[in-house]
Amino acid sequence: MSATAAAAMPEIDETGLNAEEVAKRIEAGQTNAMKDSTSRSVKDIVRANVFTLFNGIIFAAMVLVLITGSWKDAVFGFVIIINTGIGIVTELKAKRTLDRLSILVASDVLVRRGGNDVAVSHSDIVMDDLLWIRSGEQVPADGRIIHTWGLELDESMLTGESRTVRHKVGEQICSGATAVSGMALVRVSAVGAHSYAATLTAQAKVYKKTVSDLNKGINTILKFMTFLVVPLCVLLIWSQIRTVGGWNHAFTTGEWRGAVVSAVAGVVGMIPEGLVLLTSLNFAVAAMRLARHNTLVQELESVETLARVDALNLDKTGTITDGGIAFDRLIMLEDAADVGGHGVAAERTVAQALYDCCNEEQPNGTGQAVLAGLTAQGFVAGTVRARIPFSSARKWSSVVDERGERWFMGAPEVILAALQGDNADILRQVNEYADDGDRVLLLARSADCNSEGSLRHGSAGHDAMGDNPMGETAGAVSADTPRLDPQAQPVALVLCSERIRDDAERTLAWFREQGVRCRVISGDNPVTVGASHAGSDSPATVSRWPWTRVNCLTTSMSSPGCWSMSTCSGACCPIRKAIVQALHTQHHVVAMTGDGVNDALALKEADLGIAMGNAAPATKAVAQVVLVDSRFSHLPDVVARGRQVMANMERVASLFLVKTVYSALISLGVVLTQIPYPYLPRHITYIGALTIGMPAFILALAPNTRRYVPGFLKRVVKFALPGGVATALSVLLAAWFLPGVMGWNITGNDGDLSSLRATSAIILFLMGVFVLARVASPLNSWRGGLVAFFAAAGVIGTFIPFVARFFALILPTGATLTATLIALAGAAVIFVLCLWLVPKAGSILARFLRRSGINI
């Protein structure tokens, strides 16, 4: 920062802190230095993903099998590596995003110390410093204005609202805002971690794991299986050792290895390891699909949350509106004097004057909107003899047309206050339009172009403020300062409104149809926002605001779940978070959209945070989903994709849980009857891949728009029980009776045991196909072809020598074939009976428990 810049500052009496006072504050730690805290360490991320209950069970089972030397039966362990890798990569990506989060941009600033203006670094600002805030600079610390020279701040990064805010002496300003015009001297009131921006950053960096109903359901199953697996594994090993002749014989002959492998077969079957992996892969595929539609998913689990959303909170500016302004219409005032004729002619004259007032070299947003609207109506630039451009300090502009008439355009309250006469009726009319959500300008006409305005000819792009280097922003008032003509006559009102995104109406209509309740949460004037909410009967309002059925909430809360219509005081009022919390108390699954930093904490608190692509970096950092191109219309596709994942995963989860049920029941039957385990772990790997894993992955990607209904785990268990019970009974009955029928010595002859296990594997495969067909139904489409394909693949695999040897598959022949066919027929009958009997038995048990006072 140059010495010239410091020398250009206005003369003031305040001297600021001296060197001794600065040193004391530095010693006390009252500086603007920020501690660079990380969101979550790499060690914590790795530990959280590696040391899970699921990994522990699978790893222990894999080690036991590897100890026996039967590595082919340990291939199930690879699922640990894949699933853990997906989790670590996803969380490391989120960590990098949060670690880069910073609301403040570090740069040198100008402070006043010891009567001099000196440049210091951002981190060297201390408490009570006098800080110069100039146009183009970001406010580095919270403070209170001591002097102002027309300071206007862009607080959109904090509030999400695009309008600039003009601040007065004594008002508090927050760090993170940017000065767009003027300047001010500010006394610092909060520094470092205590500043507003730093507080937001610290809260935003706190790591929050997305809650997944799928993962919760899976973890519930794993926790239940943990209590079952450990004792059952011990009992299985004990029973399998008994079947080979006891401990001494088992260790002498080495048959203990087979006993351990058999026990692990039961344990592995009870763990839905494929479901854990498929869930992660399905989330990843959904994220990639959404990415093709300019939707970035930053946390994979949030894909599932999309399906459960029933409350969507919308930040108006930047979400439903695009932050721009649209010209609405021109309202001629009833008591206006004759202007260039009557009726249409008068309106065209006024509209032309309005066009010329806005047609500056660099019109502001409102001027651009008016020009665009009138250009569409066929208006072009007229002859302007002199001009006073619009000034945010004056809040009006003026032109002299070719007839010598002078026109004023600007803020109604400013212009009317300067005019003679009673204009209360006009002001009341202005307020009525403003209450309906309009931005209102006033157009006034004066026949005297030589009044005190001091118009400069040919000054279309310059402010008629004299040669003061500080211009209007320094508050200078000279003889050349333009003034309004008190004799001017109000002629017309100009109505503008925020420009609504063209996709807002159909997007909100889709959400209404899907049962998702939308709420607009805004920091704007509540009456202005309220003009767009449900119940508005005004035809004009309905035409302007297409989301007339959306409930509107402003950022003030009187009690949990109840909102009052009052105005938020801008950046320092992050009440949106409290609204989300209140909705949570009513058991809603809340999604929140936003683009300002003030939305960051609400997005983090919500079940699903959705940021616009043009949002502040802090907001995008904490959001789970980012609409890269800021298109609100992507949201239906985002929610639909989440519903697809959730509905399909509920469907395929039943496949995996069937295996858990029959593995647990078969293990229990083996322990109680002291028989060799009827199949090997590699049999489960082969059959599970063809009847569960691969079909489940394809079914999980199928179109499905079913709305999510709570009770995922209960429905999955209810669906899985009949198939699991049928499979367990079929395999156990074959293991109990086939050896006697066929004359097999399964405890003393390895060949006979292999024949039994091969037959049991075939029964397992058939039952797996039956369950797959039930899950994939209806089968009158590609789903039937899917079932047929994997059934054929399983059969073909037994004819491939390498596959048959690796997975210990044996084709039955002769009497064994006959016995196998009989067993398969019996299994089919058992499957049909269980589909009918198990639900009835479950209903009877449930009624009995309810009568006994036990709720399930």
Side-chain angles (χ1 to χ4, degrees):
M1 190 175 297
S2 66
T4 303
M9 294 298 102
E11 293 294 330
I12 57 174
D13 296 331
E14 286 82 358
T15 59
L17 301 176
N18 57 39
E20 183 180 351
E21 291 171 328
V22 171
K24 286 182 179 179
R25 283 162 174 75
I26 293 175
E27 185 179 354
Q30 296 178 321
T31 69
N32 209 38
M34 299 291 296
K35 183 180 179 181
D36 188 18
S37 59
T38 183
S39 55
R40 201 180 187 206
S41 69
V42 175
K43 183 172 69 174
D44 289 340
I45 291 174
V46 173
R47 184 191 300 117
N49 283 277
V50 171
F51 299 104
T52 65
L53 179 61
F54 165 76
N55 286 355
I57 296 173
I58 296 296
F59 182 75
M62 183 180 68
V63 169
L64 282 174
V65 173
L66 290 175
I67 289 173
T68 67
S70 182
W71 64 271
K72 293 178 181 179
D73 287 305
V75 292
F76 61 84
F78 283 105
V79 72
I80 297 177
I81 300 173
I82 301 172
N83 194 64
T84 302
I86 292 174
I88 291 175
V89 170
T90 302
E91 292 194 24
L92 284 177
K93 181 180 177 182
K95 169 186 166 54
R96 286 195 299 270
T97 302
L98 290 177
D99 286 350
R100 289 196 301 266
L101 171 59
S102 178
I103 295 173
L104 294 177
V105 178
S107 60
D108 288 348
V109 292
L110 194 65
V111 298
R112 188 164 183 80
R113 290 178 179 174
N116 297 314
D117 297 321
V118 295
V120 300
S121 68
H122 175 278
S123 59
D124 289 337
I125 299 171
V126 298
M127 189 70 172
D128 299 321
D129 250 336
L130 292 182
L131 181 67
W132 288 105
I133 304 296
R134 297 173 294 178
S135 180
E137 296 180 342
Q138 188 182 41
V139 179
D142 297 356
R144 192 169 300 279
I145 296 177
I146 305 301
H147 296 288
T148 180
W149 292 267
L151 176 69
E152 291 191 22
L153 294 179
D154 175 5
E155 297 178 344
S156 60
M157 187 177 182
L158 301 175
T159 67
E161 303 299 331
S162 57
R163 302 178 186 177
T164 59
V165 181
R166 191 176 181 87
H167 285 279
K168 301 176 182 178
V169 172
E171 290 185 347
Q172 181 81 15
I173 62 174
C174 295
S175 52
T178 302
V180 294
S181 66
M183 66 182 299
L185 184 68
V186 175
R187 187 180 302 279
V188 174
S189 60
V191 292
H194 302 288
S195 68
Y196 179 69
T199 302
L200 282 180
T201 301
Q203 293 182 58
K205 279 190 174 185
V206 175
Y207 178 78
K208 175 189 173 187
K209 183 73 172 177
T210 302
V211 177
S212 165
D213 259 17
L214 276 174
N215 288 335
K216 283 172 61 179
I218 294 170
N219 287 334
T220 299
I221 296 171
L222 291 176
K223 288 177 182 177
F224 174 77
M225 297 312 299
T226 301
F227 292 104
L228 189 63
V229 162
V230 175
L232 200 54
C233 184
V234 174
L235 290 174
L236 277 173
I237 293 175
W238 173 75
S239 68
Q240 297 307 291
I241 292 293
R242 289 283 301 273
T243 61
V244 297
W247 292 96
N248 291 332
H249 179 76
F251 280 105
T252 301
T253 61
E255 292 184 7
W256 65 272
R257 294 182 177 86
V260 170
V261 170
S262 297
V264 170
V267 172
V268 171
M270 287 184 279
I271 306 301
E273 77 282 358
L275 181 57
V276 178
L277 176 59
L278 182 60
T279 301
S280 300
L281 289 177
N282 206 14
F283 286 163
V285 171
M288 288 187 287
R289 284 181 169 180
L290 289 171
R292 290 199 292 269
H293 296 280
N294 291 314
T295 303
L296 173 64
V297 177
Q298 302 197 119
E299 291 184 27
L300 293 183
E301 289 84 356
S302 62
V303 172
E304 180 231 301
T305 310
L306 298 170
R308 300 186 286 113
V309 168
D310 62 3
L312 176 61
N313 292 349
L314 303 167
D315 178 44
K316 178 172 64 67
T317 304
T319 302
I320 297 178
T321 64
D322 61 9
I325 303 170
F327 172 67
D328 197 348
R329 61 193 187 280
L330 192 66
I331 306 294
M332 298 293 291
L333 296 175
E334 294 180 0
D335 57 348
D338 180 35
V339 180
H342 299 279
V344 175
E347 286 191 22
R348 289 196 62 83
T349 300
V350 173
Q352 183 63 57
L354 174 62
Y355 186 102
D356 293 335
C357 283
C358 295
N359 191 27
E360 303 176 356
E361 284 188 5
Q362 294 181 335
N364 60 16
T366 304
Q368 292 174 10
V370 172
L371 288 174
L374 293 178
T375 299
Q377 297 177 21
F379 287 90
V380 296
T383 301
V384 176
R385 293 169 50 187
R387 173 185 304 277
I388 298 177
F390 182 82
S391 161
S392 57
R394 291 188 308 270
K395 299 188 182 299
W396 58 267
S397 63
S398 180
V399 296
V400 175
D401 63 17
E402 59 182 344
R403 297 183 303 172
E405 293 184 331
R406 183 181 180 191
W407 298 86
F408 298 93
M409 182 202 73
E413 64 275 12
V414 174
I415 295 178
L416 292 175
L419 302 185
Q420 294 179 352
D422 183 9
N423 295 306
D425 290 341
I426 298 176
L427 189 59
R428 186 160 43 249
Q429 190 175 356
V430 168
N431 291 334
E432 288 176 357
Y433 285 118
D435 290 346
D436 282 338
D438 290 298
R439 295 187 181 187
V440 187
L441 299 174
L442 177 69
L443 196 65
R445 169 178 167 269
S446 172
D448 181 11
C449 67
N450 295 314
S451 61
E452 292 184 39
S454 302
L455 296 178
R456 291 187 174 186
H457 296 271
S459 59
H462 305 280
D463 199 324
M465 292 299 296
D467 298 325
N468 185 348
M470 292 302 297
E472 62 175 0
T473 60
V477 178
S478 67
D480 290 332
T481 299
R483 293 182 176 84
L484 287 160
D485 179 9
Q487 302 296 326
Q489 179 71 32
V491 173
L493 297 178
V494 182
L495 303 186
C496 296
S497 58
E498 288 190 75
R499 190 167 60 234
I500 301 164
R501 294 184 182 273
D502 55 8
D503 54 6
E505 183 172 7
R506 64 177 180 271
T507 302
L508 289 168
W510 184 89
F511 278 115
R512 284 201 303 273
E513 294 168 0
Q514 297 298 315
V516 178
R517 190 174 183 182
C518 300
R519 296 170 174 84
V520 178
I521 302 179
S522 176
D524 282 350
N525 186 298
V527 181
T528 301
V529 179
S532 65
H533 77 88
S536 175
D537 298 323
S538 167
T541 300
V542 172
S543 66
R544 283 198 312 280
W545 302 95
W547 62 90
T548 54
R549 292 183 182 272
V550 175
N551 293 324
C552 174
L553 304 174
T554 55
T555 46
S556 178
M557 187 177 67
S558 56
S559 62
C562 176
W563 293 268
S564 62
M565 300 294 285
S566 60
T567 305
C568 172
S569 60
C572 300
C573 190
I575 308 299
R576 288 167 167 83
K577 177 180 176 182
I579 294 176
V580 173
Q581 291 172 333
L583 288 170
H584 280 157
T585 63
Q586 300 175 1
H587 309 292
H588 288 290
V589 179
V590 185
M592 175 81 196
T593 70
D595 58 354
V597 173
N598 68 317
D599 298 319
L601 298 185
L603 263 63
K604 196 173 189 70
E605 184 67 25
D607 300 282
L608 182 70
I610 304 172
M612 297 295 140
N614 57 0
T619 307
K620 288 190 286 189
V622 302
Q624 288 97 347
V625 175
V626 178
L627 304 181
V628 178
D629 57 2
S630 301
R631 296 293 295 174
F632 182 47
S633 57
H634 289 319
L635 282 182
D637 187 54
V638 169
V639 174
R641 187 67 63 193
R643 288 181 172 178
Q644 174 191 7
V645 170
M646 194 63 181
N648 285 338
M649 286 305 300
E650 180 175 321
R651 179 191 291 265
V652 301
S654 305
L655 281 173
F656 292 94
L657 203 57
V658 165
K659 181 166 71 76
T660 298
V661 172
Y662 73 63
S663 295
L665 293 177
I666 290 174
S667 298
L668 186 60
V670 166
V671 169
L672 294 176
T673 57
Q674 300 292 300
I675 62 173
Y677 208 87
Y679 52 80
L680 297 170
R682 70 187 80 172
H683 290 148
I684 287 291
T685 302
Y686 180 78
I687 296 168
L690 292 174
T691 63
I692 300 177
M694 288 187 283
F697 185 75
I698 296 173
L699 289 172
L701 301 179
N704 197 328
T705 57
R706 193 196 75 185
R707 289 165 59 180
Y708 173 74
V709 180
F712 158 77
L713 184 58
K714 184 177 180 180
R715 288 193 301 273
V716 168
V717 171
K718 185 177 180 180
F719 185 94
L721 278 176
V725 171
T727 303
L729 283 177
S730 300
V731 172
L732 285 173
L733 288 173
W736 289 334
F737 296 110
L738 266 183
V741 173
M742 300 300 298
W744 291 337
N745 179 14
I746 59 175
T747 59
N749 189 308
D750 290 341
D752 289 346
L753 180 58
S754 296
S755 296
L756 174 63
R757 285 174 170 170
T759 303
S760 298
I762 294 173
I763 296 172
L764 272 180
F765 180 74
L766 176 69
M767 301 302 282
V769 171
F770 285 165
V771 172
L772 175 61
R774 186 175 176 225
V775 169
S777 62
L779 302 178
N780 56 357
S781 61
W782 62 271
R783 297 175 187 273
L786 174 77
V787 176
F789 173 81
F790 282 106
V795 175
I796 293 171
T798 60
F799 291 94
I800 301 174
F802 169 76
V803 175
R805 286 196 305 272
F806 189 92
F807 290 104
L809 304 176
I810 301 175
L811 283 171
T813 57
T816 304
L817 176 60
T818 303
T820 302
L821 291 175
I822 295 173
L824 291 178
V829 173
I830 291 172
F831 185 80
V832 173
L833 288 175
C834 284
L835 289 182
W836 176 63
L837 289 174
V838 171
K840 287 187 175 295
S843 298
I844 294 172
L845 178 62
R847 285 198 298 270
F848 173 77
L849 292 175
R850 282 196 297 270
R851 289 172 183 172
S852 302
I854 302 173
N855 294 321
I856 58 172

